[in-house]
Amino acid sequence: MAEASVLIPPLAPGAQIAVIAPAGPPKPGRLDPVAGWLRERGYEPALLPSCFGPPPLDFLAAPDAVRLADVHTAFTDSRFDAVLALRGGSGCIRLLDRLQLGRLACTRKLLIGYSDLTVLHALRTNAGIASLHAPMPASDWGLPGAEADTDALFQCLAAGWRVGDEVGRAAPHPFTTGSAAHGRLIGGNLAMFCALLGTPYLPDVDGALLFLEDISEEPYRVDRMFTQLRLAGVLDRIAGLLLGSFTGAESPDAVLADHLLRLRCPVLAGWPSGHGQPNRPLPLGVHAEMDPASGRLVLG
């Protein structure tokens, strides 16, 4: 396969993965198995200091300086072949104005994670570098029902992603509408994407395919955030909307239906990624074509 067609190279057996905690701390008992899980999959783990605290606030894994240093180290230290977030939660956005963006943009090392990691995915997208919205060890691995998602992640890491690869298919959904659309895949967690509005870190939304999902957001909050996206002009500028799962609260379907009526772009809903299960890996920062008629998402 030609080099130009490789969007995310395979991660070779024995590759060393830097595990960082740029957001929240792991719950009790969730850190201990991580190194073993990675070794079982054929990779060499390197758990960086932010994984071990101490948390200065209940919602931060470690002090800002420690988490910031780990992000810089993970991407710039040549020993590491990929960067894996321990979990999401909250805290990544506190680091944005102190991150040395040039150091992050000098390597195409893969970033793996989701949820609060949406803001770090945005930095990779802005630098023209692919990243991976995917399950994280302290949030997902080893939990009942999560085996298929974890297996899918490691299968994708071993195979890589190329132009023409089918990312997956969404089941028929009543919100799905419109014709095929092509653009750069951006987005992630709805709340975190909205938090980037008005900052210099928001990815370019013009002609993009915007992926959104969320957890524990009541319908009135989902309504507020979609209204914010509309008022900011985002929903008028994207080429297509890819909707993942919205879990952990009362269903926001009525709110979503109301907002989707105003959209002028295609929608592919029910995508199997987000805080619920399934949570299949989704490349971000790469071009793709979504086809609402078939439910397919194809890279390239």
Side-chain angles (χ1 to χ4, degrees):
M1 184 78 63
E3 185 69 23
S5 72
V6 177
L7 301 174
I8 299 177
L11 196 59
Q16 190 165 29
I17 298 179
V19 183
I20 60 174
K27 292 181 179 179
R30 294 296 295 169
L31 179 61
D32 295 342
V34 173
W37 284 333
L38 284 169
R39 290 193 180 99
E40 287 173 4
R41 299 287 186 162
Y43 296 109
E44 185 59 32
L47 275 63
L48 299 195
S50 56
C51 297
F52 303 99
L57 298 171
D58 290 342
F59 58 88
L60 297 178
D64 287 350
V66 175
R67 293 179 295 111
L68 182 70
D70 277 2
V71 174
H72 286 148
T73 299
F75 281 104
T76 59
D77 192 319
S78 61
R79 293 175 299 168
F80 306 133
D81 302 293
V83 182
L84 171 66
L86 183 64
R87 60 155 294 188
S90 183
C92 288
I93 200 165
R94 291 169 60 103
L95 308 179
L96 291 189
D97 60 344
R98 285 172 281 180
L99 284 168
Q100 298 177 23
L101 301 184
R103 294 176 67 180
L104 269 63
C106 71
T107 172
R108 305 194 73 81
K109 209 174 289 185
L110 185 64
L111 171 66
I112 307 160
Y114 72 108
S115 189
D116 200 59
L117 277 294
T118 295
V119 300
L120 297 188
H121 285 308
L123 299 184
R124 304 300 275 167
T125 296
N126 290 341
I129 301 169
S131 58
L132 196 60
H133 181 287
M136 299 174 290
S139 301
D140 308 277
W141 301 5
L143 296 181
E147 297 87 352
D149 293 331
T150 308
D151 288 344
L153 166 61
F154 284 99
Q155 289 165 7
C156 293
L157 292 180
W161 297 90
R162 294 172 173 81
V163 172
D165 284 350
E166 183 177 300
V167 178
R169 296 192 185 210
H173 194 284
F175 293 163
T176 294
T177 185
S179 55
H182 181 271
R184 186 180 299 275
L185 273 166
I186 66 171
N189 179 260
L190 170 62
M192 296 314 304
F193 191 81
C194 285
L196 293 175
L197 293 171
T199 75
Y201 309 105
L202 184 75
D204 184 5
V205 301
D206 290 315
L209 300 180
L210 176 59
F211 167 69
L212 295 173
E213 61 81 34
D214 219 319
I215 184 172
S216 299
E217 298 288 2
E218 296 295 337
Y220 77 93
R221 291 178 59 86
V222 174
D223 176 65
R224 180 191 300 157
M225 289 185 281
F226 264 83
T227 300
Q228 185 180 8
L229 291 175
R230 177 176 62 82
L231 294 175
V234 170
L235 299 181
D236 289 332
R237 293 158 58 193
I238 58 175
L241 180 64
L242 184 67
L243 283 179
S245 61
F246 287 77
T247 57
E250 181 184 343
S251 172
D253 279 0
V255 163
L256 292 173
D258 181 64
H259 282 277
L260 296 179
L261 284 174
R262 303 185 183 95
L263 280 188
R264 293 177 290 187
C265 67
V267 176
L268 179 53
W271 190 259
S273 298
H275 281 76
Q277 294 175 358
N279 184 16
R280 296 295 197 262
L282 176 68
L284 296 174
V286 296
H287 282 88
E289 180 174 285
M290 71 174 209
D291 180 19
S294 65
R296 299 172 72 232
L297 186 67
V298 177
L299 299 181

